[in-house]
């Protein structure tokens, strides 16, 4: 559980759901297969992270499974390798060449980040790219036969906006995570808070603007439901991640930054729910949003970071 940060994996299936819904692809067994693949690759990245950071963690995070001796370093690598194979296998079974076309570069980014890029200036961009690719994996997978006009290129184009917003959110988390041990200058959480606010507004404004701008008109019932669920997701997103970042602005010590990072990982869920609702699946979005408090409770037992 602690090696792969099991509760944090609850933030992963929503990537696939948001991408599939935005691309207009039906949900079904292939979407579920893509979700399982994504979770395996996420867990692989967590195990590989502990393998690669064993020396650093022995000083900075001695309680983690590898430096504490609970999990041998070679076991962490074996778990990462096995989960990577499982993730790619599931991508191939559920999505065929289409699924592998996204899963392979996603895997490459995960391994490159953990083994090389994490401590470089390219680290946040690499992690953001990985989460964006995860959303695109949902866009190209789908659960059944897509509309005739929805080719892979069309699916990628339609999934581009949720992928971009998810990637931007991930960038802010990764930028903050580099200061979990030493603390951050106050301008960093202030900047990430501004970016997160812009991300939230970009998610929900396309749904609410028609009702706010003249000539004002009542929204159709279906649109009103989508807007309500999307707005609830954005409020949950800002109410957790936004509030944690605001606290880090006031007190940018390491403990506050760590709380903001943990909140940001879990706040992926309400952001995904808002994106899913905006794309036209409010029921699925509401069900996804219900995962957020569950993930928060589990995170009190096993840290998501």
């Amino acid at each position: 559980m602690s090696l792969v940060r099991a509760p944090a994996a609850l933030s992963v299936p929503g990537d696939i759901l948001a991408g599939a819904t935005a691309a207009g692809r039906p949900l079904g067994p292939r979407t579920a297969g893509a979700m399982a693949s994504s979770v395996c690759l996420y867990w692989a990245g967590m195990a590989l992270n502990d393998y690669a950071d064993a020396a650093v963690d022995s000083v900075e995070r001695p309680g983690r499974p590898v430096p504490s001796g609970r999990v041998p370093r070679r076991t962490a690598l074996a778990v990462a390798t096995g989960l990577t194979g499982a993730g790619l296998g599931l991508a191939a079974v559920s999505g065929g060449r289409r699924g592998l076309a996204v899963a392979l570069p996603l895997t490459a980014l995960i391994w490159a980040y953990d083994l090389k890029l994490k401590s470089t200036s390219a680290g946040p961009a690499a992690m953001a790219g990985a989460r964006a690719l995860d959303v695109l994996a949902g866009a190209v997978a789908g659960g059944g036969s897509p509309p005739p006009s929805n080719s892979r290129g069309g699916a990628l184009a339609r999934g581009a906006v949720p992928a971009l917003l998810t990637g931007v959110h991930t960038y802010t988390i990764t930028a903050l995570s580099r200061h979990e041990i030493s603390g951050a200058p106050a301008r960093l959480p202030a900047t990430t808070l501004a970016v997160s606010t812009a991300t939230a507004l970009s998610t929900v404004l396309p749904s609410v603007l028609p009702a706010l701008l003249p000539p004002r008109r009542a929204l159709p019932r279906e649109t009103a439901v989508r807007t309500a669920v999307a707005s609830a997701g954005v409020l949950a997103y800002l109410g957790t991640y936004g509030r944690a970042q605001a606290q880090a602005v006031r007190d940018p010590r390491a403990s506050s930054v760590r709380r903001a990072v943990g909140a940001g990982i879990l706040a992926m869920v309400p952001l995904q729910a808002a994106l899913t609702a905006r794309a036209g699946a409010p029921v699925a979005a509401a069900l996804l949003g219900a995962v957020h408090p569950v993930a928060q409770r589990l995170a009190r037992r096993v840290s998501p970071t």
Side-chain angles (χ1 to χ4, degrees):
M1 288 273 290
S2 57
L3 178 65
V4 296
R5 323 288 196 276
L10 292 174
S11 74
V12 176
D15 286 345
I16 304 299
L17 180 61
T21 307
R25 291 177 173 271
L27 306 180
R30 280 168 48 187
T31 308
M35 289 178 177
S37 169
S38 181
V39 169
C40 285
L41 292 177
Y42 185 90
W43 279 342
M46 292 295 99
L48 185 63
N49 173 82
D50 280 16
Y51 165 80
D53 286 359
V56 174
D57 284 346
S58 66
V59 176
E60 296 182 348
R61 300 170 185 263
R64 277 188 168 174
V66 172
S68 67
R70 299 196 308 275
V71 177
R73 188 168 181 245
R74 62 180 179 276
T75 300
L77 179 59
V79 169
T81 303
L83 285 169
T84 297
L88 290 174
L90 285 166
V93 170
S94 62
R97 288 180 297 177
R98 189 188 293 264
L100 282 175
V102 180
L104 286 171
L106 171 58
T107 299
L109 261 182
I110 291 170
W111 280 71
Y113 174 82
D114 281 334
L115 297 179
K116 183 68 176 178
L117 298 178
K118 177 191 286 189
S119 59
T120 72
S121 59
M127 183 55 70
R131 284 310 281 246
L133 280 172
D134 205 33
V135 175
L136 294 178
V140 302
S145 300
S149 61
N150 201 357
S151 64
R152 184 173 70 184
L156 289 173
R158 295 176 70 178
V161 170
L164 175 63
L165 292 173
T166 301
V168 169
H169 169 67
T170 304
Y171 192 103
T172 67
I173 300 172
T174 312
L176 286 170
S177 72
R178 297 158 81 92
H179 298 272
E180 287 183 279
I181 302 301
S182 60
R187 66 179 181 275
L188 177 60
T191 300
T192 61
L193 176 58
V195 173
S196 299
T197 302
T199 299
L201 291 175
S202 298
T203 298
V204 77
L205 279 182
S207 299
V208 302
L209 280 179
L212 299 176
L213 297 178
R216 294 186 179 182
R217 58 188 185 274
L219 295 175
R221 178 180 176 83
E222 183 178 340
T223 303
V225 171
R226 291 203 308 263
T227 301
V229 176
S231 299
V234 163
L235 289 174
Y237 172 75
L238 290 176
T240 53
Y241 187 38
R243 183 173 63 180
Q245 289 173 98
Q247 291 172 345
V249 173
R250 294 191 296 269
D251 176 16
R253 289 179 295 179
S255 58
S256 298
V257 174
R258 280 196 299 272
R259 283 193 293 271
V261 172
I265 292 171
L266 300 183
M268 201 71 88
V269 176
L271 178 61
Q272 295 158 345
L275 291 167
T276 300
R278 187 181 86 161
V283 174
L287 292 173
L288 176 61
V291 171
H292 188 218
V294 176
Q296 289 177 306
R297 286 194 292 271
L298 290 175
R300 297 189 187 106
R301 300 181 181 181
V302 179
S303 172
T305 67

